[in-house]
Amino acid sequence: MLIARLIADTQGLSARIEAARADLEARGVRLAGVAMLDHCGETLEITSPDDDRAAMLDVLDQHFAPADMLVANDDIVFPRVFVSDMDSTMIGQECIDELADFAGLKDRVAAITERAMQGELDFESALRERVGLLTDLPESAITECLASRIVPMAGAKTLVATLKARGCRTVLVTGGFHHFADPVAEQLGFEYVVGNRLEVAADKLSGGLDGAIVDSAVKKATLLSEAEALGEDVVTMAIGDGANDIPMIEAATYGFAYHAKPKARAAANGRIDRGDLTKVLKLLGVPMRDWVG
């Protein structure tokens, strides 16, 4: 059975529901029920005895976009593992782009970042190229950048705190850098961090990286290893916005794309296109009275 949850503009909602019903039935997807979740108020739940998740996502997009949604092949339950991207997901910035501004190279670096997140460039080579452009930047610029540029995404702290309060393991995994990810994780309450390390010599960036690269494969492996540590059939959730998040989004029980690039969005069965990160909690069915932070 398909379970779809949707948060959308309520204007003309009944007419759009009926149009969506007709569109789904034309594709061979029957509806078993449509109702508001009592404890969430704005969250619509749609059920179907059929299993064409792609058709459901497509029809919801056609009739309700922009909207926040989650489509699952079974009852939606609370996850035990949550793995999240950092840049443009848990924070509103791309750290390397902001850091490049201190070197007068933001436009150049940001253009590479955008192409990498769209999936147009190999992630590792794009990362090494951007880091190389920061050669000789004082390490103190990172501290200044953190203090003046890096801001948590709306709802991030509430999402993480509420997940933790219900026993969910929370992991921040980023293709960015521990210099940023460690303080961000502490601020938001993540329990564990996986990221890249900038190489520093004589209090300046050397233009290189220290250790192995955290790429899309590492992000997926982190999700799977965290789940494996808790046993079999663990319900997992992942969220990200770019191409290097796609493998972990696809591997998660609930893979969310947050105001994401098209390729990442297409890979996800959960999409936040309209609201902030607390909409994830609403789609999971967590009542606002139980939110933390």
Side-chain angles (χ1 to χ4, degrees):
M1 173 174 280
L2 281 179
I3 308 290
R5 290 182 180 168
L6 175 75
I7 303 170
D9 186 350
T10 57
Q11 185 173 0
L13 186 60
S14 294
R16 285 187 287 156
I17 290 171
E18 289 310 308
R21 182 194 299 272
D23 198 351
L24 283 166
E25 289 179 353
R27 300 179 187 218
V29 179
R30 299 160 293 167
L31 295 193
V34 179
M36 285 289 182
L37 292 181
D38 292 340
H39 53 271
C40 289
E42 65 176 342
T43 308
L44 186 71
E45 183 170 272
I46 301 168
T47 58
S48 168
D50 302 306
D51 63 357
D52 193 339
R53 190 169 71 182
M56 179 68 76
L57 284 164
D58 187 45
V59 169
L60 293 182
D61 261 351
Q62 287 189 36
H63 294 281
F64 298 99
D68 307 321
M69 65 188 74
L70 174 62
V71 179
N73 292 105
D74 205 343
D75 290 336
I76 295 173
V77 299
F78 201 79
R80 294 183 62 198
V81 172
F82 172 55
V83 177
S84 177
D85 177 43
M86 181 176 71
D87 292 6
S88 298
T89 303
M90 283 294 128
I91 60 174
Q93 298 74 37
E94 292 285 335
C95 289
I96 194 167
D97 296 356
E98 298 303 321
L99 192 58
D101 201 20
F102 288 82
L105 295 168
K106 184 173 182 177
D107 288 348
R108 185 175 172 186
V109 169
I112 300 171
T113 300
E114 177 65 16
R115 292 187 65 196
M117 293 302 97
Q118 293 282 3
E120 297 173 5
L121 296 175
D122 172 71
F123 177 80
E124 180 173 346
S125 60
L127 178 64
R128 292 190 183 279
E129 180 181 357
R130 286 174 290 164
V131 171
L133 291 170
L134 302 180
T135 301
D136 292 333
L137 187 70
E139 188 178 16
S140 60
I142 296 174
T143 302
E144 186 178 349
C145 185
L146 267 166
S148 63
R149 304 284 184 90
I150 306 306
V151 180
M153 197 69 79
K157 194 165 187 178
T158 297
L159 174 61
V160 176
T162 303
L163 291 171
K164 284 176 62 180
R166 288 180 163 234
C168 181
R169 167 80 164 163
T170 57
V171 180
L172 187 65
V173 57
T174 177
F177 314 113
H178 275 281
H179 276 88
F180 291 95
D182 290 347
V184 166
E186 183 176 2
Q187 181 180 6
L188 297 181
F190 281 93
E191 298 164 87
Y192 184 56
V193 181
V194 178
N196 294 304
R197 295 190 182 277
L198 289 165
E199 192 175 74
V200 178
D203 298 324
K204 292 184 178 181
L205 302 189
S206 71
L209 293 163
D210 184 6
I213 296 289
V214 175
D215 59 9
S216 61
V218 173
K219 289 188 172 191
K220 177 182 177 180
T222 299
L223 175 82
L224 296 177
S225 65
E226 290 287 341
E228 185 179 3
L230 294 178
E232 295 183 0
D233 301 322
V234 171
V235 174
T236 61
M237 185 168 74
I239 190 166
D241 73 300
N244 68 322
D245 298 313
I246 289 174
M248 74 171 183
I249 286 173
E250 291 179 330
T253 311
Y254 310 132
F256 278 93
Y258 183 76
H259 294 276
K261 306 298 186 291
K263 289 182 180 179
R265 189 179 183 280
N269 66 328
R271 297 165 178 175
I272 305 297
D273 293 336
R274 186 167 175 263
D276 65 24
L277 286 165
T278 61
K279 299 305 182 185
V280 173
L281 295 173
K282 288 203 168 190
L283 292 169
L284 289 174
V286 181
M288 290 181 67
R289 65 177 178 272
D290 293 340
W291 294 3
V292 179

